Amino acid sequence: MVFVPFEFGAAIFQLIYPYVRPLGSLFLVGSAMMIASLLYPAWPGFVGWLGRALFLGAVGVYWWCASILFLSPSGAILYPLIAATLLAERSARFQGRGLLTVLIASVSLCFGTLMLLVPHGFDRFSFQGAGIQPLGAALLGAGALLAVGLWRRWPGAGRVALGGLSAAFLYMMGVLAVRGSWTGMSVYAVLTLTCALLAAVRRWPTLAGVRWRLFRGMALASVLPILGVGAVTSYLAQRALEVELRGKARQAVAAETAWLEQTVTLARSLLRAQSRNAGFLAAVRAGDREGMRETVELLESEVALFDAAWLLDASGETLVASARLNRIVGNFAHRDYFQDAMKGGDQVLLSRPFLTRANLPFVVFTVPVDAGNGTRVVLVGGLSLQRLGLQPTLASRSYHVELFDRRDGTLLRETDRGGVLTRAPLLALLGEEALSTAEGMWEALDASGRRLLVAHAQVAGTPWTVGVTARLREAFAPVTRMGAWVVAIAVLAGAIALMLSQWVGRDVAVRLESLRDGFAALGTPARELRVRAEGDDEVAQLASGFNEMAARIDRTQKELREAIAIRDQFLSMASHELRTPLTPLKATLDLLIRQSESGAGPTPERRRAAFERLSRQVDRLTRLIGDMLDVSRLQSGRFALTVAPMDLTALARDVMERIQVSRPERQGVLSLEVPDGPLVGRWDEQRLDQLLTNLVENALRYSPPGTPVRVRVCEEDGQVRMDVEDRGIGIPEESLPQLFTPFFRARNATEHYAGGLGLGLAICREIVERHGGRIQARSEGPGKGTCFTVWLPRAAVADAA
């Protein structure tokens, strides 16, 4: 409907033909949305429902206009069953229950029953009116077998039935193809293919994994864009061709009208000139038949226009006749042309068409001639309609041309059949009211159901109307072929893309499965796991990264075991060291308590010695606890700054040079903007080096290769400002508040594996805040880059330190 709308020009489509392209667009868009919802179940549910609504709306219009109103039993059954299946398939009760097989069984049972009961309603599926009832019996039997197979859960019987139905639908498709019914043929082609697939495939593949993702992605990315571009191209080409066709039709009818006007004008001029010839008038008034014959034969000569000429007296008797009419003489007073000429003035009149006594179709021009004594004779020039119909013109070479008399609808000229003096066929197509206007253009259907473009115009100064007819199907054959090629290319591209997706998916899936097995066995004891890293794509890089990660995990596990051993040793030593001063401390305290209870106090020297021992043990405990607190502060990152005057410009240059040297693949992407002079302040040079290095490395890590990273250092409102800006993966808005939290990573940073444990930005914030400054991150969203800005005060450094 979208690509070849003029193929829907038959009588059965006459109600939907003005809207065939929008209706086809609804079918196309609705089908695409339903397919997309099937391929991507995670998409919002309204996509599938909207696609079904569009598709079912188009089906309803098509069903009513092309099936119900034209009493097509096959369409009246098929389309409601399709609509019911689409609606039931989305309900929770019937979802996933194989409704496609139920639909095919229902269609075959209904078709078979109606073909047996009313075979005349399915004549379009037969050759010479035979074979409908056997076809109905085959459909009914196969449908019943399929229904029983579904009910009793006999897959073998179902496959046999589906095989028989595919053969029956293939026969119906072939009959419709022979008859040129492309719409019906496409429907039964789909039914044939569906039955064949259901009969042949015993186990459908599982729609999951990388192969399925590639398959559905390639299916949408290859077929739908080609169909969409092809539809737009076909529409534009059809519109351009339609405008050109209408323009050429107008030119053709104008050329035909101009030729006829020229012919009539020339005939009138010749007849008028001869009627006013002095010699001819003298011969008429003198009764000189030879003189009158010379004038009549001159009108019939080769250089003249007329096929015959004669002269009638006042009573209608033939005075003289041209050579072709010498044997046809008599009284013609009963002819309309003679009566009109005797009643009129001296103008040249054009008669109605008539048959001569020799059964020749003629149209004549008459002019009265004054014969003196108050009498008049009539000079007649005749044009043969047979010869007029054989005259080739510009319009008659490319179009079907009709010329008829508006007074009674008599056909005067027809280029195809050449018949005249019958009822003009155009009047049956358009009616007298449509052709009564001076000119116009219409679309109509002929008796065989072909759509025609008709342009008509009246011949000025005559009661004639010219009609030029073009068959739209033949005129739009180039666009039809182009649309067929677009569909074929889309199908071929889709098939190639799907085969490539399976090939690529198999390769990727095998390598990912090896990675999956590697991850499953990762960390198992006494095993050093490695996966094969083949190729140079991302999967190979992932495999190489996995191998490196596995090696690091092995090293980490070894280090962890060593750390656990060291921890156990440290705890053992700490317990021993803590218990060593506690034992004498408790013994001394117990001794002092017992001596105080007995009343026999120690001597001052012994009491002093006991207190000294207690003091020494307490000092020892204090030192142990202080050492443990220092270790805790070191691990928690509570470090102090070493503040001294320094030049930040020189530091920035050093950092950039060092990074460029260490990362040669990033040459040319790093840019630094610093003031011309030095930026001196009181800062910790080592910590600022660490800060700037972390920010630049972070920008490079999350930026695609080749994208620039800009570093700017400047003064702003008495402070120093540093900007590190990249065009990398960006940061989601919801991740910005927690960006500087230890161990936190944004969602897209987690998806974009780039190493690190999430401590770099937390360390940067600690450094900046220790200097009394602040740090801020800005990003417009994922994929739009990030800018980190640091403000460092100059005067508040000492206070902050």
PDB file of all heavy atoms in Angstrom, residues 199-225:
ATOM      1  N   ALA A 199       5.589 -26.601  10.761  1.00  0.00           N
ATOM      2  CA  ALA A 199       5.665 -28.043  10.510  1.00  0.00           C
ATOM      3  C   ALA A 199       7.101 -28.554  10.532  1.00  0.00           C
ATOM      4  O   ALA A 199       7.363 -29.683  10.941  1.00  0.00           O
ATOM      5  CB  ALA A 199       5.011 -28.365   9.163  1.00  0.00           C
ATOM      6  N   ALA A 200       8.052 -27.715  10.100  1.00  0.00           N
ATOM      7  CA  ALA A 200       9.438 -28.187   9.956  1.00  0.00           C
ATOM      8  C   ALA A 200      10.249 -28.041  11.236  1.00  0.00           C
ATOM      9  O   ALA A 200      11.092 -28.895  11.538  1.00  0.00           O
ATOM     10  CB  ALA A 200      10.118 -27.430   8.817  1.00  0.00           C
ATOM     11  N   VAL A 201      10.023 -26.967  11.981  1.00  0.00           N
ATOM     12  CA  VAL A 201      10.851 -26.694  13.165  1.00  0.00           C
ATOM     13  C   VAL A 201      10.292 -27.460  14.361  1.00  0.00           C
ATOM     14  O   VAL A 201       9.142 -27.240  14.767  1.00  0.00           O
ATOM     15  CB  VAL A 201      10.904 -25.183  13.452  1.00  0.00           C
ATOM     16  CG1 VAL A 201      11.738 -24.920  14.699  1.00  0.00           C
ATOM     17  CG2 VAL A 201      11.482 -24.428  12.262  1.00  0.00           C
ATOM     18  N   ARG A 202      11.081 -28.359  14.888  1.00  0.00           N
ATOM     19  CA  ARG A 202      10.633 -29.138  16.047  1.00  0.00           C
ATOM     20  C   ARG A 202      10.926 -28.430  17.371  1.00  0.00           C
ATOM     21  O   ARG A 202      10.200 -28.570  18.331  1.00  0.00           O
ATOM     22  CB  ARG A 202      11.317 -30.509  16.058  1.00  0.00           C
ATOM     23  CG  ARG A 202      10.911 -31.390  14.872  1.00  0.00           C
ATOM     24  CD  ARG A 202      11.686 -32.691  14.880  1.00  0.00           C
ATOM     25  NE  ARG A 202      11.271 -33.559  13.783  1.00  0.00           N
ATOM     26  CZ  ARG A 202      10.289 -34.458  13.877  1.00  0.00           C
ATOM     27  NH1 ARG A 202       9.653 -34.618  15.013  1.00  0.00           N
ATOM     28  NH2 ARG A 202       9.973 -35.213  12.852  1.00  0.00           N
ATOM     29  N   ARG A 203      12.011 -27.678  17.394  1.00  0.00           N
ATOM     30  CA  ARG A 203      12.393 -26.996  18.640  1.00  0.00           C
ATOM     31  C   ARG A 203      12.897 -25.614  18.289  1.00  0.00           C
ATOM     32  O   ARG A 203      13.866 -25.460  17.550  1.00  0.00           O
ATOM     33  CB  ARG A 203      13.472 -27.780  19.377  1.00  0.00           C
ATOM     34  CG  ARG A 203      13.878 -27.153  20.701  1.00  0.00           C
ATOM     35  CD  ARG A 203      14.920 -28.000  21.389  1.00  0.00           C
ATOM     36  NE  ARG A 203      15.326 -27.399  22.657  1.00  0.00           N
ATOM     37  CZ  ARG A 203      16.268 -27.912  23.451  1.00  0.00           C
ATOM     38  NH1 ARG A 203      16.889 -29.035  23.089  1.00  0.00           N
ATOM     39  NH2 ARG A 203      16.570 -27.316  24.575  1.00  0.00           N
ATOM     40  N   TRP A 204      12.224 -24.612  18.798  1.00  0.00           N
ATOM     41  CA  TRP A 204      12.615 -23.243  18.513  1.00  0.00           C
ATOM     42  C   TRP A 204      13.790 -22.844  19.382  1.00  0.00           C
ATOM     43  O   TRP A 204      13.894 -23.249  20.541  1.00  0.00           O
ATOM     44  CB  TRP A 204      11.434 -22.290  18.772  1.00  0.00           C
ATOM     45  CG  TRP A 204      10.295 -22.526  17.841  1.00  0.00           C
ATOM     46  CD1 TRP A 204       9.197 -23.286  18.068  1.00  0.00           C
ATOM     47  CD2 TRP A 204      10.164 -22.008  16.515  1.00  0.00           C
ATOM     48  NE1 TRP A 204       8.372 -23.281  16.970  1.00  0.00           N
ATOM     49  CE2 TRP A 204       8.936 -22.500  16.005  1.00  0.00           C
ATOM     50  CE3 TRP A 204      10.944 -21.174  15.715  1.00  0.00           C
ATOM     51  CZ2 TRP A 204       8.485 -22.184  14.730  1.00  0.00           C
ATOM     52  CZ3 TRP A 204      10.502 -20.861  14.451  1.00  0.00           C
ATOM     53  CH2 TRP A 204       9.291 -21.366  13.965  1.00  0.00           C
ATOM     54  N   PRO A 205      14.723 -22.078  18.845  1.00  0.00           N
ATOM     55  CA  PRO A 205      15.902 -21.684  19.640  1.00  0.00           C
ATOM     56  C   PRO A 205      15.514 -20.760  20.786  1.00  0.00           C
ATOM     57  O   PRO A 205      14.511 -20.044  20.722  1.00  0.00           O
ATOM     58  CB  PRO A 205      16.789 -20.963  18.608  1.00  0.00           C
ATOM     59  CG  PRO A 205      15.841 -20.480  17.558  1.00  0.00           C
ATOM     60  CD  PRO A 205      14.736 -21.514  17.485  1.00  0.00           C
ATOM     61  N   THR A 206      16.331 -20.801  21.830  1.00  0.00           N
ATOM     62  CA  THR A 206      16.121 -19.924  22.979  1.00  0.00           C
ATOM     63  C   THR A 206      16.545 -18.504  22.629  1.00  0.00           C
ATOM     64  O   THR A 206      17.671 -18.279  22.185  1.00  0.00           O
ATOM     65  CB  THR A 206      16.927 -20.424  24.180  1.00  0.00           C
ATOM     66  OG1 THR A 206      16.540 -21.777  24.472  1.00  0.00           O
ATOM     67  CG2 THR A 206      16.656 -19.553  25.404  1.00  0.00           C
ATOM     68  N   LEU A 207      15.622 -17.582  22.809  1.00  0.00           N
ATOM     69  CA  LEU A 207      15.876 -16.185  22.427  1.00  0.00           C
ATOM     70  C   LEU A 207      16.537 -15.454  23.593  1.00  0.00           C
ATOM     71  O   LEU A 207      15.893 -14.728  24.352  1.00  0.00           O
ATOM     72  CB  LEU A 207      14.568 -15.514  22.021  1.00  0.00           C
ATOM     73  CG  LEU A 207      13.803 -16.196  20.877  1.00  0.00           C
ATOM     74  CD1 LEU A 207      12.534 -15.431  20.562  1.00  0.00           C
ATOM     75  CD2 LEU A 207      14.676 -16.319  19.643  1.00  0.00           C
ATOM     76  N   ALA A 208      17.830 -15.690  23.757  1.00  0.00           N
ATOM     77  CA  ALA A 208      18.579 -15.045  24.841  1.00  0.00           C
ATOM     78  C   ALA A 208      20.044 -15.037  24.460  1.00  0.00           C
ATOM     79  O   ALA A 208      20.486 -15.757  23.556  1.00  0.00           O
ATOM     80  CB  ALA A 208      18.352 -15.779  26.169  1.00  0.00           C
ATOM     81  N   GLY A 209      20.800 -14.230  25.148  1.00  0.00           N
ATOM     82  CA  GLY A 209      22.230 -14.183  24.939  1.00  0.00           C
ATOM     83  C   GLY A 209      22.656 -13.162  23.910  1.00  0.00           C
ATOM     84  O   GLY A 209      21.860 -12.398  23.351  1.00  0.00           O
ATOM     85  N   VAL A 210      23.965 -13.166  23.631  1.00  0.00           N
ATOM     86  CA  VAL A 210      24.547 -12.189  22.719  1.00  0.00           C
ATOM     87  C   VAL A 210      24.031 -12.392  21.305  1.00  0.00           C
ATOM     88  O   VAL A 210      23.771 -11.439  20.571  1.00  0.00           O
ATOM     89  CB  VAL A 210      26.092 -12.302  22.761  1.00  0.00           C
ATOM     90  CG1 VAL A 210      26.726 -11.390  21.727  1.00  0.00           C
ATOM     91  CG2 VAL A 210      26.593 -11.949  24.146  1.00  0.00           C
ATOM     92  N   ARG A 211      23.861 -13.649  20.889  1.00  0.00           N
ATOM     93  CA  ARG A 211      23.376 -13.902  19.525  1.00  0.00           C
ATOM     94  C   ARG A 211      21.997 -13.298  19.308  1.00  0.00           C
ATOM     95  O   ARG A 211      21.721 -12.697  18.262  1.00  0.00           O
ATOM     96  CB  ARG A 211      23.344 -15.405  19.270  1.00  0.00           C
ATOM     97  CG  ARG A 211      24.695 -16.088  19.374  1.00  0.00           C
ATOM     98  CD  ARG A 211      24.581 -17.554  19.034  1.00  0.00           C
ATOM     99  NE  ARG A 211      25.816 -18.265  19.329  1.00  0.00           N
ATOM    100  CZ  ARG A 211      25.997 -19.563  19.103  1.00  0.00           C
ATOM    101  NH1 ARG A 211      25.019 -20.272  18.583  1.00  0.00           N
ATOM    102  NH2 ARG A 211      27.136 -20.142  19.400  1.00  0.00           N
ATOM    103  N   TRP A 212      21.137 -13.470  20.278  1.00  0.00           N
ATOM    104  CA  TRP A 212      19.790 -12.923  20.147  1.00  0.00           C
ATOM    105  C   TRP A 212      19.821 -11.401  20.144  1.00  0.00           C
ATOM    106  O   TRP A 212      19.096 -10.758  19.380  1.00  0.00           O
ATOM    107  CB  TRP A 212      18.915 -13.446  21.281  1.00  0.00           C
ATOM    108  CG  TRP A 212      17.596 -12.750  21.426  1.00  0.00           C
ATOM    109  CD1 TRP A 212      17.150 -12.083  22.521  1.00  0.00           C
ATOM    110  CD2 TRP A 212      16.560 -12.654  20.453  1.00  0.00           C
ATOM    111  NE1 TRP A 212      15.907 -11.572  22.301  1.00  0.00           N
ATOM    112  CE2 TRP A 212      15.506 -11.900  21.028  1.00  0.00           C
ATOM    113  CE3 TRP A 212      16.412 -13.116  19.157  1.00  0.00           C
ATOM    114  CZ2 TRP A 212      14.342 -11.611  20.348  1.00  0.00           C
ATOM    115  CZ3 TRP A 212      15.232 -12.817  18.468  1.00  0.00           C
ATOM    116  CH2 TRP A 212      14.219 -12.090  19.071  1.00  0.00           C
ATOM    117  N   ARG A 213      20.666 -10.808  20.971  1.00  0.00           N
ATOM    118  CA  ARG A 213      20.766  -9.353  20.989  1.00  0.00           C
ATOM    119  C   ARG A 213      21.258  -8.827  19.642  1.00  0.00           C
ATOM    120  O   ARG A 213      20.745  -7.835  19.107  1.00  0.00           O
ATOM    121  CB  ARG A 213      21.701  -8.896  22.105  1.00  0.00           C
ATOM    122  CG  ARG A 213      21.116  -9.075  23.509  1.00  0.00           C
ATOM    123  CD  ARG A 213      22.123  -8.656  24.573  1.00  0.00           C
ATOM    124  NE  ARG A 213      21.558  -8.745  25.898  1.00  0.00           N
ATOM    125  CZ  ARG A 213      20.885  -7.780  26.509  1.00  0.00           C
ATOM    126  NH1 ARG A 213      20.733  -6.624  25.895  1.00  0.00           N
ATOM    127  NH2 ARG A 213      20.389  -7.934  27.710  1.00  0.00           N
ATOM    128  N   LEU A 214      22.275  -9.478  19.083  1.00  0.00           N
ATOM    129  CA  LEU A 214      22.762  -9.064  17.770  1.00  0.00           C
ATOM    130  C   LEU A 214      21.705  -9.293  16.698  1.00  0.00           C
ATOM    131  O   LEU A 214      21.525  -8.482  15.793  1.00  0.00           O
ATOM    132  CB  LEU A 214      24.037  -9.839  17.425  1.00  0.00           C
ATOM    133  CG  LEU A 214      25.307  -9.411  18.166  1.00  0.00           C
ATOM    134  CD1 LEU A 214      26.441 -10.365  17.844  1.00  0.00           C
ATOM    135  CD2 LEU A 214      25.690  -7.995  17.782  1.00  0.00           C
ATOM    136  N   PHE A 215      20.994 -10.410  16.798  1.00  0.00           N
ATOM    137  CA  PHE A 215      19.966 -10.725  15.807  1.00  0.00           C
ATOM    138  C   PHE A 215      18.879  -9.660  15.775  1.00  0.00           C
ATOM    139  O   PHE A 215      18.539  -9.123  14.722  1.00  0.00           O
ATOM    140  CB  PHE A 215      19.362 -12.093  16.141  1.00  0.00           C
ATOM    141  CG  PHE A 215      18.258 -12.522  15.204  1.00  0.00           C
ATOM    142  CD1 PHE A 215      18.546 -13.197  14.032  1.00  0.00           C
ATOM    143  CD2 PHE A 215      16.926 -12.232  15.503  1.00  0.00           C
ATOM    144  CE1 PHE A 215      17.532 -13.580  13.177  1.00  0.00           C
ATOM    145  CE2 PHE A 215      15.917 -12.620  14.648  1.00  0.00           C
ATOM    146  CZ  PHE A 215      16.216 -13.298  13.479  1.00  0.00           C
ATOM    147  N   ARG A 216      18.324  -9.332  16.936  1.00  0.00           N
ATOM    148  CA  ARG A 216      17.230  -8.356  16.944  1.00  0.00           C
ATOM    149  C   ARG A 216      17.738  -6.953  16.614  1.00  0.00           C
ATOM    150  O   ARG A 216      17.029  -6.167  15.973  1.00  0.00           O
ATOM    151  CB  ARG A 216      16.532  -8.373  18.296  1.00  0.00           C
ATOM    152  CG  ARG A 216      17.365  -7.857  19.465  1.00  0.00           C
ATOM    153  CD  ARG A 216      16.669  -8.079  20.777  1.00  0.00           C
ATOM    154  NE  ARG A 216      17.399  -7.465  21.889  1.00  0.00           N
ATOM    155  CZ  ARG A 216      17.030  -7.574  23.157  1.00  0.00           C
ATOM    156  NH1 ARG A 216      15.952  -8.270  23.466  1.00  0.00           N
ATOM    157  NH2 ARG A 216      17.714  -6.983  24.109  1.00  0.00           N
ATOM    158  N   GLY A 217      18.965  -6.639  17.050  1.00  0.00           N
ATOM    159  CA  GLY A 217      19.507  -5.339  16.698  1.00  0.00           C
ATOM    160  C   GLY A 217      19.710  -5.190  15.200  1.00  0.00           C
ATOM    161  O   GLY A 217      19.352  -4.179  14.600  1.00  0.00           O
ATOM    162  N   MET A 218      20.271  -6.218  14.568  1.00  0.00           N
ATOM    163  CA  MET A 218      20.477  -6.169  13.125  1.00  0.00           C
ATOM    164  C   MET A 218      19.156  -6.209  12.384  1.00  0.00           C
ATOM    165  O   MET A 218      19.012  -5.601  11.314  1.00  0.00           O
ATOM    166  CB  MET A 218      21.361  -7.341  12.693  1.00  0.00           C
ATOM    167  CG  MET A 218      22.780  -7.290  13.239  1.00  0.00           C
ATOM    168  SD  MET A 218      23.693  -5.853  12.647  1.00  0.00           S
ATOM    169  CE  MET A 218      23.945  -6.307  10.949  1.00  0.00           C
ATOM    170  N   ALA A 219      18.165  -6.928  12.916  1.00  0.00           N
ATOM    171  CA  ALA A 219      16.866  -6.981  12.253  1.00  0.00           C
ATOM    172  C   ALA A 219      16.230  -5.598  12.176  1.00  0.00           C
ATOM    173  O   ALA A 219      15.694  -5.197  11.133  1.00  0.00           O
ATOM    174  CB  ALA A 219      15.942  -7.951  12.994  1.00  0.00           C
ATOM    175  N   LEU A 220      16.285  -4.859  13.260  1.00  0.00           N
ATOM    176  CA  LEU A 220      15.713  -3.519  13.242  1.00  0.00           C
ATOM    177  C   LEU A 220      16.593  -2.537  12.494  1.00  0.00           C
ATOM    178  O   LEU A 220      16.103  -1.686  11.750  1.00  0.00           O
ATOM    179  CB  LEU A 220      15.492  -3.036  14.684  1.00  0.00           C
ATOM    180  CG  LEU A 220      14.406  -3.764  15.480  1.00  0.00           C
ATOM    181  CD1 LEU A 220      14.292  -3.160  16.872  1.00  0.00           C
ATOM    182  CD2 LEU A 220      13.070  -3.696  14.787  1.00  0.00           C
ATOM    183  N   ALA A 221      17.909  -2.654  12.675  1.00  0.00           N
ATOM    184  CA  ALA A 221      18.807  -1.667  12.086  1.00  0.00           C
ATOM    185  C   ALA A 221      18.963  -1.832  10.584  1.00  0.00           C
ATOM    186  O   ALA A 221      19.314  -0.876   9.887  1.00  0.00           O
ATOM    187  CB  ALA A 221      20.185  -1.764  12.753  1.00  0.00           C
ATOM    188  N   SER A 222      18.698  -3.020  10.051  1.00  0.00           N
ATOM    189  CA  SER A 222      18.910  -3.229   8.617  1.00  0.00           C
ATOM    190  C   SER A 222      17.627  -3.105   7.816  1.00  0.00           C
ATOM    191  O   SER A 222      17.608  -2.490   6.750  1.00  0.00           O
ATOM    192  CB  SER A 222      19.528  -4.618   8.391  1.00  0.00           C
ATOM    193  OG  SER A 222      18.663  -5.629   8.890  1.00  0.00           O
ATOM    194  N   VAL A 223      16.529  -3.688   8.312  1.00  0.00           N
ATOM    195  CA  VAL A 223      15.302  -3.751   7.509  1.00  0.00           C
ATOM    196  C   VAL A 223      14.482  -2.475   7.633  1.00  0.00           C
ATOM    197  O   VAL A 223      14.076  -1.880   6.628  1.00  0.00           O
ATOM    198  CB  VAL A 223      14.469  -4.983   7.928  1.00  0.00           C
ATOM    199  CG1 VAL A 223      13.171  -5.025   7.137  1.00  0.00           C
ATOM    200  CG2 VAL A 223      15.264  -6.254   7.697  1.00  0.00           C
ATOM    201  N   LEU A 224      14.235  -2.026   8.851  1.00  0.00           N
ATOM    202  CA  LEU A 224      13.332  -0.891   9.043  1.00  0.00           C
ATOM    203  C   LEU A 224      13.835   0.395   8.392  1.00  0.00           C
ATOM    204  O   LEU A 224      13.065   1.104   7.743  1.00  0.00           O
ATOM    205  CB  LEU A 224      13.082  -0.677  10.532  1.00  0.00           C
ATOM    206  CG  LEU A 224      12.226  -1.754  11.219  1.00  0.00           C
ATOM    207  CD1 LEU A 224      11.951  -1.373  12.654  1.00  0.00           C
ATOM    208  CD2 LEU A 224      10.917  -1.974  10.485  1.00  0.00           C
ATOM    209  N   PRO A 225      15.136   0.767   8.538  1.00  0.00           N
ATOM    210  CA  PRO A 225      15.564   1.996   7.849  1.00  0.00           C
ATOM    211  C   PRO A 225      15.418   1.923   6.334  1.00  0.00           C
ATOM    212  O   PRO A 225      15.022   2.897   5.688  1.00  0.00           O
ATOM    213  CB  PRO A 225      17.041   2.122   8.263  1.00  0.00           C
ATOM    214  CG  PRO A 225      17.142   1.388   9.545  1.00  0.00           C
ATOM    215  CD  PRO A 225      16.195   0.246   9.417  1.00  0.00           C
TER     216      PRO A 225
END
